[in-house]
Amino acid sequence: FHRDPEGNQPAHPELRDGEGHMILWDRLSETTLERKVPFLKAEFGNPLTILPRRIFVPRPVKANPSIAGGCEVAKMDAEVANSLTLLVRGTCTFGLKAKTLMQRRAGAFGLINTDGEPFPMQVDEEEIKFLTIEAITIGAADGAFITNKVLNEGMELWARFV
């Protein structure tokens, strides 16, 4: 835990390492999923906190698949606010995705790697200065699992970094 400026009480707890896993639970059925999702922290952004966050996955639209990529602020759903928003790799840069989510006030950014395991997401050095969103990557199989649970099975998934 880090402490408030006066050193009195614990503020938001943070994770110090660059890797960990997410614990998932469905808020509607009040059940914890047995699958633990490994992640790697991005090489930019604020330290990861262990606060629980609702998972938001944008629904892709055939006419404009870039919506699920998170590249355009105007097309990003307001539901991303305070959530852990999962976006698929591709379509635009990691920095643009992070900026889009910051403008929509997302709580955290999760990138689904389209080819394999998580990796330490990087951005241009100029972008590092102002990208403050918590950011991670997860593997393709875990991304598909979560996307299916949220979009197809209708679960209201929440996650906590550990």
Side-chain angles (χ1 to χ4, degrees), residues 85-152:
T85 300
L86 297 181
L87 300 176
V88 178
R89 183 178 186 179
T91 313
C92 62
T93 67
F94 304 142
L96 182 56
K97 290 175 188 289
K99 284 185 267 190
T100 298
L101 292 176
M102 285 174 58
Q103 289 175 343
R104 282 306 214 174
R105 302 197 190 301
F109 165 27
L111 181 80
I112 301 170
N113 189 7
T114 54
D115 188 25
E117 298 304 311
F119 62 95
M121 187 174 18
Q122 299 175 339
V123 295
D124 294 334
E125 284 191 38
E126 290 298 312
E127 294 176 309
I128 289 175
K129 299 172 192 170
F130 59 86
L131 294 177
T132 57
I133 191 168
E134 296 175 38
I136 62 163
T137 59
I138 63 174
D142 290 317
F145 173 81
I146 293 171
T147 298
N148 181 58
K149 295 290 183 190
V150 172
L151 296 181
N152 299 329

Side-chain angles (χ1 to χ4, degrees), residues 1-14 16:
F1 294 116
H2 67 278
R3 300 204 171 269
D4 67 8
E6 298 173 7
N8 296 324
Q9 58 192 53
H12 297 300
E14 298 175 350
R16 299 279 182 222

Side-chain angles (χ1 to χ4, degrees), residues 14-25 32-42 48-53 55 84 86 110 117-118 134-139 142 145-146 158-162:
E14 298 175 350
L15 295 177
R16 299 279 182 222
D17 292 336
E19 61 183 271
H21 65 272
M22 291 189 293
I23 295 175
L24 306 172
W25 71 93
T32 300
L33 281 66
E34 292 192 26
R35 186 175 189 141
K36 290 179 175 42
V37 177
F39 68 80
L40 284 178
K41 184 188 179 317
L48 302 177
T49 65
I50 61 171
L51 299 173
R53 298 201 186 274
I55 295 177
L84 164 58
L86 297 181
E117 298 304 311
E134 296 175 38
I136 62 163
T137 59
I138 63 174
D142 290 317
F145 173 81
I146 293 171
W158 284 66
R160 188 168 64 86
F161 300 134
V162 293

